[in-house]
């Protein structure tokens, strides 16, 4: 008989290839006994020592019956009569079996320099994480952890070391050093920034001289990204459940089987039944068995069905840029994709069901897994109903019902000394009272911190009564969950109950500062911690791993019903807070990297929309205008133009009620919305904004206004001197106020004005200075812009190899960031150098691919690029002839942006890239 005992990362026993089910350990003491013995050399201990470790407060005689029971239940769990043997004064584990304990194996191979990688792979996590409060495991856990950290250090696995030991200074510095040596300037600066924040937050100090020296070295590097950036790397990962999933093995298998034959599967069930967890398990299983990508879209982030396409595009890792038709963008992104798309919580945006049907038409290799409380009712939908956990019987070795197993999991996490076998009747009654709903079990089980199981049963059942006690006219989900939440709240103090109700104003996970903004009763940390402890509020992490707090949608709905008169004041505080955050981010535009403040706005966009809706509904025009005014550049760079135009038009209609400063910013935003299609209209808005900024002596915004006005004259030869005067003044003012990001943007506009006017030397000076500034800021987006513009100048002077290299460098950056519009603009730029290098047919195909990508995105070519594009097209027509050029351009148009970029960025050249894809693309399109 062969037995594997795993203790690293969690306790698992495998007997002859069969894993012992977690719920087979009905007695915690049985599992503890096996763990203790497995950790000891020879897997045995003196009886007295076992008692001292397991029951330190009892005499040997008093503990003897407990030891015999623990041994009995251990034998029963393992399924081997001789699993634990009590012989004389010694207790032994599996003395007659061939036993491999992962800790022993780890110790053995970690001492061999040739087996470092094997040892690292063996360390699946800290020793027995479920026993963090057991003194007998502490010393061994720390010893093994130190050994693992030493292995990571010896292997140079600095990123892994930082992940498991965030305050390891050497690991941070070595990781930065790796980025510096590989030429990845922005990653080095980001790692140093993360280190500095961590040191300040956790240690109250700044990093030392070594970090400062590396920072200076990184800043001095050329702002160029390495060639290892992968296109399309932004697909969102499916969340992995933090605890073991109970009772869904059959569901997972059935849904995986359905996905083999059906391209749209809906997991249908009441709230709190576990649809999201099941979807996550299915998605991970699907990815593991097919090696296909998965993308997870949490639809609770939007409240309007019209925003589903936009959110899906974002979660696919695509930034919408200057685009007003995200549905077209989604279509282009999904074409010929092999992907499992998980759409979670679809019921409140069910009007978008037709969009799901369209997605399946756009890509024959796409599969969609939906969780919802309502059917989508579209062609091809196959429904799998998700039921509550079983209340009777089970599939484990002890025949426990799944609901009871889940309760046991929750209970042992709350109380490490909980013994299910002593409370089975009470637990069964509790599970029946909540109809086996997983969410209700989690909420109820959380109260074992303060109540015994019998008292929990008494209070729970008296509160809930039977199912017949609830109104029969209510939907199923209200038969138990709201009553369970109400009952939980009765056990909390007034402060916790009040905070629970106020939390309903949030639409997603928010930072602590946002919670503090709606709480007027002193320190919020204590009541918030209680709500987190009782599973009523969940703690997650944000983009930069900072703590965030949010509610499940089901719990939020109930909290909203309890808020009553408090809700209006909380909504006002919520709107004021997020308006203030937007004002702060507006200021950061002038000193911070563009992608950072864009990401921050994206992360809180659903709260911003809620704040705007509340301010508009209550007639608070000043607050509505402040929120609108802060988003002009965001809409321009990230899309959402329809929303932006609507909000701006509403504010322009009441402009006479606005503060002049806010009115000026509204006009600035309006100009951004007009610029892609109507430069004269944009000029009118920007001139009005600049006039107001001058009257208010807002020098920085005057500089910005002058700069964008000058951009409206690009390619207008008769106005080039006027444009340059405006730009000169903007540059002087920008330098004077010390805003590096502003200066870089003015320089980019200056470069475009002079390049299009044929003044290449002036353009080069502007681009190179702007590139240096953007690199110092770690502003990857603008680094890519400057690189692509410098490639035009290289092409002008006949250095076509350099032009191609710079263009591909820019493409890597914008594509790795998911900036689809910029990639669509830039891919056509490759046509110029490719044509000059003798690859005219390839160049024509690139023109077609770029034109089609812009068409699908609903975007226009940037004004500064139009003269260059027209020049290359004219040269290609002359060289190839109109008929051949059009033929090749049409072939290129059949290639998706993803395909052409993956080949254009693969290797040192792109020869054969588009030609190959074009030839195959026709076939693929017809398959």
């Amino acid at each position: 008989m062969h037995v594997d005992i795993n203790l690293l990362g969690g306790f698992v026993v495998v007997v002859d290839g069969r894993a012992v089910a977690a719920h087979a350990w009905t007695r915690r003491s049985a599992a503890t006994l096996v763990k203790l013995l497995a950790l000891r050399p020879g897997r045995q201990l003196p009886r007295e020592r076992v008692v001292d470790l397991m029951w330190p407060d009892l005499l040997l005689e008093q503990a003897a019956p407990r030891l015999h029971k623990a041994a009995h239940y251990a034998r029963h769990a393992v399924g081997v009569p001789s699993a634990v043997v009590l012989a004389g004064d010694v207790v032994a584990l599996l003395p007659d079996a061939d036993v491999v304990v992962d800790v022993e194996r780890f110790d053995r191979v970690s001492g061999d320099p040739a087996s470092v990688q094997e040892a690292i792979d063996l360390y699946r996590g800290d020793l027995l994480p479920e026993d963090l409060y057991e003194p007998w495991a502490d010393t061994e856990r720390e010893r093994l952890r130190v050994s693992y950290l030493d292995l990571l250090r010896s292997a140079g696995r600095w990123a892994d070391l930082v992940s498991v030991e965030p305050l390891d200074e050497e690991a941070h510095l070595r990781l930065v050093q790796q980025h510096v040596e590989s030429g990845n300037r922005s990653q080095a600066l980001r790692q140093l920034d993360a280190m500095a924040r961590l040191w300040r937050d956790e240690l109250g100090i700044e990093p030392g001289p070594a970090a400062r020296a590396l920072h200076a070295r990184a800043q001095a590097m050329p702002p160029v990204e390495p060639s290892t950036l992968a296109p399309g790397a932004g697909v969102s990962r499916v969340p992995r459940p933090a605890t073991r999933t109970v009772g869904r093995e059959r569901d997972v298998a059935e849904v995986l089987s359905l996905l083999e034959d059906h391209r749209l599967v809906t997991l249908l069930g009441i709230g709190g039944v576990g649809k999201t967890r099941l979807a996550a398990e299915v998605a991970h299983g699907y990815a593991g068995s097919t090696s296909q990508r998965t993308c997870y879209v949490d639809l609770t982030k939007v409240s309007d069905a019209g925003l589903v396409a936009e959110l899906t595009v974002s979660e696919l890792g695509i930034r919408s840029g200057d685009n007003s038709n995200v549905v077209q963008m989604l279509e282009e992104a999904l074409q010929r994709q092999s992907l499992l798309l998980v759409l979670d919580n679809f019921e409140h945006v069910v009007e978008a069901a037709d969009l799901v049907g369209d997605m399946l038409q756009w890509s024959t290799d796409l599969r969609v897994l939906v969780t919802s409380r309502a059917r989508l009712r579209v062609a091809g939908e196959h429904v799998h109903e998700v039921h509550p956990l079983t209340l009777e019987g089970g599939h484990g070795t002890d025949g426990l019902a799944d609901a009871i197993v889940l309760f046991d999991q929750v209970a042992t996490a709350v109380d490490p000394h909980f013994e299910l076998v002593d409370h089975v009747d009470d637990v069964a009654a509790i599970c029946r009272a909540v109809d086996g709903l997983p969410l209700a079990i989690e909420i109820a089980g959380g109260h074992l911190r303060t109540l015994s199981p019998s008292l929990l049963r008494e209070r729970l059942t008296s509160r809930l009564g039977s199912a017949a006690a609830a109104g029969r006219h209510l939907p199923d989900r209200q038969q138990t969950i709201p009553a369970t939440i109400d009952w939980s709240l009765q056990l909390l103090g007034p402060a916790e109950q009040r905070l629970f109700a106020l939390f309903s104003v949030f639409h997603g996970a928010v930072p602590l500062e946002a919670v503090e903004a709606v709480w007027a009763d002193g320190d919020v940390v204590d009541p918030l911690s209680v709500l987190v402890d009782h599973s009523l509020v969940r703690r997650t992490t944000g983009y930069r791993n900072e703590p965030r707090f949010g509610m499940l949608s089901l719990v939020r709905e109930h909290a909203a019903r309890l808020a009553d008169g408090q809700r209006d004041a909380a909504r006002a505080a919520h709107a004021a807070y997020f308006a203030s955050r937007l004002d702060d981010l507006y200021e950061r535009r002038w000193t911070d990297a563009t992608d950072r403040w864009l990401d921050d706005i994206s992360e809180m966009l659903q709260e911003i929309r809620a704040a705007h809706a509340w301010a508009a509904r209550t007639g608070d025009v000043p607050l509505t205008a402040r929120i609108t005014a802060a988003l002009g550049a965001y809409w321009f760079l990230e899309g959402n133009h329809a929303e932006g135009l609507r909000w701006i038009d509403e504010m322009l209609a009441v402009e006479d009620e606005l503060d002049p400063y806010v009115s000026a910013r509204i006009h600035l935003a309006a100009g951004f919305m007009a610029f892609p299609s109507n430069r004269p209209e944009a000029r009118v808005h920007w001139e009005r904004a600049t006039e107001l900024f001058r009257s208010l002596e807002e020098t920085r915004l005057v500089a910005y206004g002058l700069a964008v006005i000058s951009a409206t004259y690009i390619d207008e030869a008769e106005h080039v001197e006027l444009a340059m005067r405006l730009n000169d003044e903007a540059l002087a003012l920008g330098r004077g106020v010390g805003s590096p990001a502003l200066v870089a943007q003015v320089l980019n506009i200056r470069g475009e004005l002079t390049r299009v006017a044929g003044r290449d030397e002036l353009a080069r000076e502007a681009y190179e200075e702007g590139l240096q500034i953007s690199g110092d800021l770690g502003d990857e987006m603008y680094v890519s812009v400057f690189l692509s513009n410098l490639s035009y100048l290289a092409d002008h002077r006949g250095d076509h190899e350099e032009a191609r290299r710079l263009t591909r460098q820019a493409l890597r950056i914008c594509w790795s960031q998911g900036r689809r519009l910029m990639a669509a603009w830039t891919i056509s730029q490759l046509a110029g150098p490719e044509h000059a290098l003798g690859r005219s047919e390839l160049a024509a195909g690139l023109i077609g691919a770029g034109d089609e990508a812009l068409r699908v995105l609903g975007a226009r070519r940037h004004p500064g690029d139009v003269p260059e594009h027209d020049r290359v097209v004219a040269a290609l027509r002359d060289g190839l002839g109109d008929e051949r050029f059009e033929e090749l351009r049409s072939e290129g148009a059949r290639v998706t942006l993803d395909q052409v970029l993956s080949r254009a960025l693969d290797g040192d050249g792109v020869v054969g890239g588009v030609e190959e894809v074009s030839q195959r693309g026709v076939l693929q399109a017809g398959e």
Side-chain angles (χ1 to χ4, degrees), residues 881-902:
D882 287 344
E883 183 177 348
R884 180 58 176 156
F885 172 76
E886 291 297 343
E887 179 185 346
L888 291 166
R889 180 158 70 172
S890 296
E891 287 184 11
R894 297 190 185 101
V895 185
T896 68
L897 186 58
D898 303 70
Q899 290 173 321
V900 71
L901 281 164
S902 68

Side-chain angles (χ1 to χ4, degrees), residues 129 218 227 231 282 325 354 363 393 414 571 590 610 666 694 703 714 766 927:
S227 60
V282 169
N325 193 334
D354 288 343
S363 172
V414 172
R571 281 176 168 169
W590 316 114
I666 292 289
R694 281 193 192 277
I714 290 175
E927 289 177 355

